[in-house]
Amino acid sequence: MKGSLTTLKKEILDQNFSDIAQLFIDSIIEFNNVEIYITSGDIFLHNHFSIDDCAYGLDSHEIYEKPLAKAKTLSYMGAITYYELSIFWGFVEFLVTGGFSVFNDEPAQLFLGSSLRDWKYGELVTYKIYIL
């Protein structure tokens, strides 16, 4: 690789992001009675505003040594509440933007986009992420 140090760092990060994305695409997250099959996602690098200006900072208790999946509540202008599903690993957040959810024996529900519509399971956290 030739180029400035910044260019080299960006090329290394781009490759690592691609590797992380490929790791989580087609994986399964298992919460208590809900399983999520991931088909797409976006990656954010937190605490590095010069690289990713969309990423907010993480507190030290939010930096995980092994991948952790979270379904979390968010709101828009304090009125509309919705859920997003992310996998956190170190300073990286993999935001799930598409897949299937299965609850017990109910038919699979498809979703596309970061907002989990009709999510009725509340906030959930798990380390049960199965790489296929």
Side-chain angles (χ1 to χ4, degrees), residues 12 16 43 46 48 69 85 89 92-93 95 100 102 112 115 125:
I12 291 168
N16 288 340
I43 291 185
H46 294 286
H48 298 295
L85 176 61
W89 190 11
V92 173
E93 176 183 0
L95 175 65
F100 306 84
V102 178
L112 184 59
S115 175
V125 177

Side-chain angles (χ1 to χ4, degrees), residues 2-14 50-51:
K2 290 187 176 182
S4 69
L5 185 57
T6 304
T7 304
L8 291 177
K9 281 183 181 178
K10 183 178 181 331
E11 287 176 14
I12 291 168
L13 280 173
D14 286 347
S50 62
I51 297 168

Side-chain angles (χ1 to χ4, degrees), residues 93-107:
E93 176 183 0
F94 180 85
L95 175 65
V96 177
T97 60
F100 306 84
S101 65
V102 178
F103 178 75
N104 287 338
D105 293 327
E106 295 179 8

Side-chain angles (χ1 to χ4, degrees), residues 4-132:
S4 69
L5 185 57
T6 304
T7 304
L8 291 177
K9 281 183 181 178
K10 183 178 181 331
E11 287 176 14
I12 291 168
L13 280 173
D14 286 347
Q15 182 58 50
N16 288 340
F17 277 14
S18 177
D19 292 345
I20 291 169
Q22 290 306 310
L23 185 67
F24 292 127
I25 299 292
D26 295 330
S27 65
I28 295 174
I29 298 171
E30 181 186 337
F31 295 110
N32 297 329
N33 294 323
V34 182
E35 293 179 353
I36 307 290
Y37 176 77
I38 300 171
T39 59
S40 63
D42 291 327
I43 291 185
F44 299 92
L45 181 63
H46 294 286
N47 291 25
H48 298 295
F49 298 109
S50 62
I51 297 168
D52 188 349
D53 61 354
C54 294
Y56 55 85
L58 294 175
D59 293 331
S60 60
H61 71 279
E62 296 178 302
I63 301 169
Y64 303 97
E65 290 185 26
K66 62 183 192 175
L68 175 81
K70 287 184 177 184
K72 59 188 178 219
T73 307
L74 298 170
S75 66
Y76 178 72
M77 299 183 68
I80 301 170
T81 301
Y82 60 98
Y83 289 88
E84 282 186 349
L85 176 61
S86 294
I87 298 173
F88 293 91
W89 190 11
F91 287 104
V92 173
E93 176 183 0
F94 180 85
L95 175 65
V96 177
T97 60
F100 306 84
S101 65
V102 178
F103 178 75
N104 287 338
D105 293 327
E106 295 179 8
Q109 297 290 316
L110 306 174
F111 65 94
L112 184 59
S114 62
S115 175
L116 297 173
R117 293 189 180 154
D118 302 324
W119 183 260
K120 54 189 172 203
Y121 315 109
E123 293 193 340
L124 300 171
V125 177
T126 188
Y127 284 105
K128 294 180 182 177
I129 302 168
Y130 303 99
I131 309 300
L132 303 179

